[in-house]
Amino acid sequence: CLRTLAAILKETLKDALGPRAGVLKKLLAPLDAVLEGFYNAILLHHFDSHHYTSPYSEATDNLIGFIDLLEALLTSRIELELPLRCQRILFLKVSYVLNLISSSIPYVIKKKFILLLKKCVLYKSREDAKSGSLFLQAPSLCEDMLALSNAVLQVVDLTWLNQIPLSGKSSYFGSSEVAPGDDSQGGSDQTVLRALSLVVLKALEFKIHNSATETEIK
């Protein structure tokens, strides 16, 4: 069902001539609360079970399908003046994703989530894209980006980055320590390294621009 919904969203966004905003609202509004419930249930699940040890398992494949839906929801957000809750949930409850990234799920899922976070921090509303402004104008997007930035900076201030592998085999953020049980010394995944760095820098930039006091900035 989730894969079908993601496919419909993607096809709707490709339709240059159709009334995309109306179609999206008609499609997503009745599912708004349901999709938030899915988000909570799926991402709060304990992924350290044996079902997720293989990147080729059905459970892993289902989770990747859900990530594709989250990406489609993020992309579709630009069509609606007032985004629905299901299009904002990734920003407002990003802590679920951050916890998953540092968990023991397969590397392929961690990478997809990190690249999705990168898309979040680079996201702009249609008005912001047209104006070319460095600062976000849409109130809901400002609120969402601030929630995301706060959550990212909070975990980065702890040891979150040190728990994130930069390849499927070895090499962790900030070190070249070999993962337990891995004898080979692989190189870092530069795509993930760049995406992670960008997420942290953008979160820091947005927080600084939206901090009221010097103490907050420090």
Side-chain angles (χ1 to χ4, degrees):
C1 289
L2 295 177
R3 283 185 186 279
T4 303
L5 182 56
I8 293 169
L9 281 174
K10 288 172 185 175
E11 286 303 314
T12 304
L13 292 169
K14 283 181 192 174
D15 185 4
L17 301 174
R20 289 182 294 198
V23 172
L24 288 169
K25 204 162 187 179
K26 202 171 181 180
L27 175 68
L28 294 175
L31 296 172
D32 209 17
V34 176
L35 288 172
E36 183 173 358
F38 268 131
Y39 185 91
N40 296 341
I42 291 172
L43 299 191
L44 271 181
H45 182 71
H46 294 292
F47 289 100
D48 47 3
S49 74
H50 68 279
H51 296 298
Y52 295 91
T53 50
S54 166
Y56 307 108
S57 70
E58 186 183 352
T60 300
D61 196 43
N62 289 338
L63 188 53
I64 288 172
F66 186 61
I67 298 170
D68 290 339
L69 175 61
L70 290 177
E71 190 174 344
L73 287 169
L74 175 66
T75 308
S76 70
R77 177 179 176 145
I78 201 167
E79 299 296 334
L80 301 182
E81 200 172 320
L82 288 172
L84 296 165
R85 177 83 179 175
C86 63
Q87 294 170 310
R88 302 179 63 191
I89 195 74
L90 192 54
F91 293 85
L92 300 176
K93 294 188 176 180
V94 73
S95 58
Y96 293 15
V97 171
L98 297 173
N99 289 338
L100 265 184
I101 290 171
S102 60
S103 74
S104 58
I105 55 171
Y107 181 73
V108 64
I109 296 177
K110 292 176 192 266
K111 183 170 182 173
K112 279 187 79 73
F113 269 127
I114 290 167
L115 295 177
L116 184 57
L117 283 183
K118 176 187 163 187
K119 287 187 176 181
C120 286
V121 298
L122 292 176
Y123 180 82
K124 283 190 174 183
S125 68
R126 186 163 281 156
E127 291 71 27
D128 290 327
K130 280 179 184 172
S131 70
S133 170
L134 292 174
F135 306 106
L136 301 176
Q137 309 297 321
S140 63
L141 186 55
C142 281
E143 185 187 327
D144 293 357
M145 205 64 87
L146 194 56
L148 184 144
S149 299
N150 284 334
V152 168
L153 293 175
Q154 201 173 353
V155 294
V156 167
D157 205 30
L158 302 171
T159 57
W160 183 74
L161 283 175
N162 299 334
Q163 300 169 48
I164 300 172
L166 290 178
S167 76
K169 294 183 177 177
S170 57
S171 187
Y172 280 67
F173 197 102
S175 77
S176 55
E177 182 187 339
V178 178
D182 187 4
D183 300 325
S184 63
Q185 181 62 51
S188 300
D189 185 331
Q190 295 302 303
T191 304
V192 169
L193 180 57
R194 285 194 298 269
L196 268 176
S197 302
L198 186 66
V199 167
V200 176
L201 286 170
K202 280 288 185 184
L204 197 57
E205 178 189 43
F206 193 80
K207 180 66 177 171
I208 288 170
H209 283 314
N210 291 275
S211 293
T213 65
E214 197 176 331
T215 312
E216 236 188 324
I217 292 172
K218 283 182 180 177

